[in-house]
Amino acid sequence: MAHPTSSDQSNDLRKEDCKERDSLVVCFGEMLIDFVPTVGGVSLAEAPAFKKSPGGAPANVAVGISKLGGSSAFIGKVGADEFGYMLADILKQNNVETSGMRFESNARTALAFVTLRADGEREFLFFRNPSADMLLQESELDKNLLKQARIFHYGSISLIDEPCKSAHLSAMRIAKSSGCILSYDPNLRLALWPSADTARKSIMDIWDQADVIKISEDEITFLTGGDNPYDDNVVLKKLFHPNLKLLIVTEGSQGCRYYTKAFKGRIAGVKVKPVDTTGAGDAFVSGILYSIASDQTIFQDEKRLRKALYFANICGALTVTERGAIPALPTKEAILQFLLEAAVI
């Protein structure tokens, strides 16, 4: 399979700029404050100080799409507190539609302390007992916003607790009945679930409803009960379902694999010097959803799909070259610049 060239990709992106951007992606779920140590390679207990940073995978994806020049909105709940208002402002500054956001006066905005230890493992400490995002009610959903969406994107953290779980399932139903493409990134955070079995069951309960699913190798191992994540047969027999338009397996710096009803393949990773991997998966999702929102033919056209996944790989790669998630998410200009430099090399 021929790899898309940088010059081809660059020309395609310029053409896209001429198209109208009316393909709305609505992202549903949590938005929170990440507290990250001011020095790397330490445990949370050893950290001398922490820097606050906006987080939450669905919100990151919404910002990522907007920074690429796409149209996005966020639906979720934060606290009626300084952190909650700060997060809403960050979305607005990044041109994300916030009419679906709600503010909870009886609970605080969620906090997460995150560190990358010297051994390379990420360590999380969550403050959600309960946090505002868990308290989104079905009655608070912006149904009109959901009906306008071309793509409805969600994770699994919003499935852990009621009433948010019911709101999540209701939003999926509304989006599906309006002809939306449903996009699912489980984004497993096992520490937040009551048990591994509950997590596995809840994540898989809504599996068959998604049109597009993105998972990591670790998530394949978890969801299949320990099967080999590199085995195509495992992926196709246990995780691919008849309604699925696209299943993507991300492999970090190694790139990604893709599976549709008609074809499957692999796109190599993009080599960069990593500084901070936070948000790389969300940037990848932003990149592929940005492409799908403006061109659904990529589900049937392998050449177009490969170009879109190469673009998403670059989105993920550029994000790891800077600290933080939202500040590091790339613009269309940054992608074009990368492609131009790659073409020169």
Side-chain angles (χ1 to χ4, degrees):
M1 177 64 63
H3 198 286
T5 68
S6 298
S7 56
D8 287 346
Q9 190 88 20
S10 179
N11 291 335
D12 285 354
L13 290 179
R14 286 204 182 85
K15 284 176 200 162
E16 265 186 36
D17 278 336
C18 303
K19 292 181 185 175
E20 269 199 37
R21 304 296 314 167
D22 61 347
S23 304
L24 179 65
V25 181
V26 173
C27 301
F28 176 95
E30 70 283 357
M31 190 173 193
L32 59 145
I33 305 283
D34 284 335
F35 283 90
V36 184
T38 50
V39 296
V42 295
S43 69
L44 291 175
E46 294 163 341
F50 294 89
K51 183 182 176 185
K52 74 179 192 297
S53 148
N60 290 345
V61 171
V63 172
I65 289 164
S66 181
K67 285 181 85 166
L68 290 170
S71 173
S72 67
F74 176 72
I75 291 180
K77 203 174 209 185
V78 292
D81 52 45
E82 286 301 309
F83 284 150
Y85 299 130
M86 181 195 97
L87 292 174
D89 283 343
I90 286 167
L91 290 181
K92 286 173 190 164
Q93 287 159 20
N94 284 283
N95 299 311
V96 175
E97 172 60 55
T98 58
S99 61
M101 279 188 87
R102 301 293 179 259
F103 298 86
E104 174 62 55
S105 54
N106 295 316
R108 298 291 189 204
T109 300
L111 309 178
F113 288 78
V114 189
T115 188
L116 188 66
R117 299 193 313 235
D119 61 6
E121 285 299 310
R122 279 205 291 181
E123 190 180 338
F124 292 93
L125 182 61
F126 294 98
F127 286 75
R128 301 172 84 240
N129 40 322
S131 54
D133 59 289
M134 298 155 65
L135 301 180
L136 181 69
Q137 305 268 354
E138 190 176 341
S139 59
E140 294 176 305
L141 289 173
D142 188 333
K143 294 181 176 63
N144 287 332
L145 188 59
L146 287 165
K147 288 172 183 173
Q148 289 168 32
R150 175 71 57 85
I151 298 173
F152 179 61
H153 176 71
Y154 48 89
S156 69
I157 289 172
S158 41
L159 295 169
I160 299 173
D161 296 282
E162 291 289 4
C164 187
K165 180 178 181 177
S166 291
H168 179 144
L169 297 175
S170 176
M172 282 175 64
R173 282 193 296 272
I174 294 165
K176 192 78 169 175
S177 65
S178 302
C180 245
I181 293 167
L182 298 194
S183 164
Y184 187 18
D185 175 4
N187 193 36
L188 178 67
R189 292 287 178 266
L190 205 46
L192 293 176
W193 290 89
S195 70
D197 285 344
T198 305
R200 197 176 288 112
K201 182 180 185 306
S202 296
I203 288 170
M204 294 307 293
D205 276 351
I206 61 167
W207 198 261
D208 288 356
Q209 297 179 53
D211 300 295
V212 178
I213 297 176
K214 172 253 168 193
I215 43 171
S216 67
E217 305 146 294
D218 290 346
E219 287 164 348
I220 293 176
T221 304
F222 174 76
L223 293 172
T224 60
D227 286 356
N228 178 3
Y230 304 103
D231 186 340
D232 281 352
N233 289 326
V234 167
V235 175
L236 289 167
K237 285 179 182 171
K238 294 201 172 183
L239 298 175
F240 200 89
H241 65 75
N243 302 320
L244 204 50
K245 291 181 169 70
L246 176 63
L247 175 64
I248 304 166
V249 179
T250 52
E251 300 179 348
S253 62
Q254 300 304 303
C256 64
R257 307 199 305 273
Y258 59 88
Y259 304 84
T260 72
K261 290 186 186 74
F263 42 77
K264 61 186 171 75
R266 191 170 178 281
I267 301 286
V270 176
K271 288 188 170 40
V272 291
K273 190 175 180 183
V275 173
D276 176 10
T277 59
T278 307
D282 301 330
F284 176 92
V285 172
S286 300
I288 192 62
L289 293 185
Y290 167 80
S291 296
I292 292 169
S294 57
D295 181 13
Q296 278 96 70
T297 67
I298 70 172
F299 295 130
Q300 289 85 37
D301 186 328
E302 189 170 12
K303 187 181 177 186
R304 282 175 184 261
L305 176 61
R306 289 182 67 84
K307 280 188 177 182
L309 289 169
Y310 178 54
F311 176 80
N313 276 351
I314 297 170
C315 292
L318 291 184
T319 302
V320 308
T321 62
E322 290 184 42
R323 291 201 179 278
I326 284 178
L329 293 165
T331 60
K332 173 78 78 64
E333 291 70 35
I335 305 282
L336 280 169
Q337 187 61 37
F338 179 89
L339 288 162
L340 287 170
E341 287 170 7
V344 170
I345 294 164

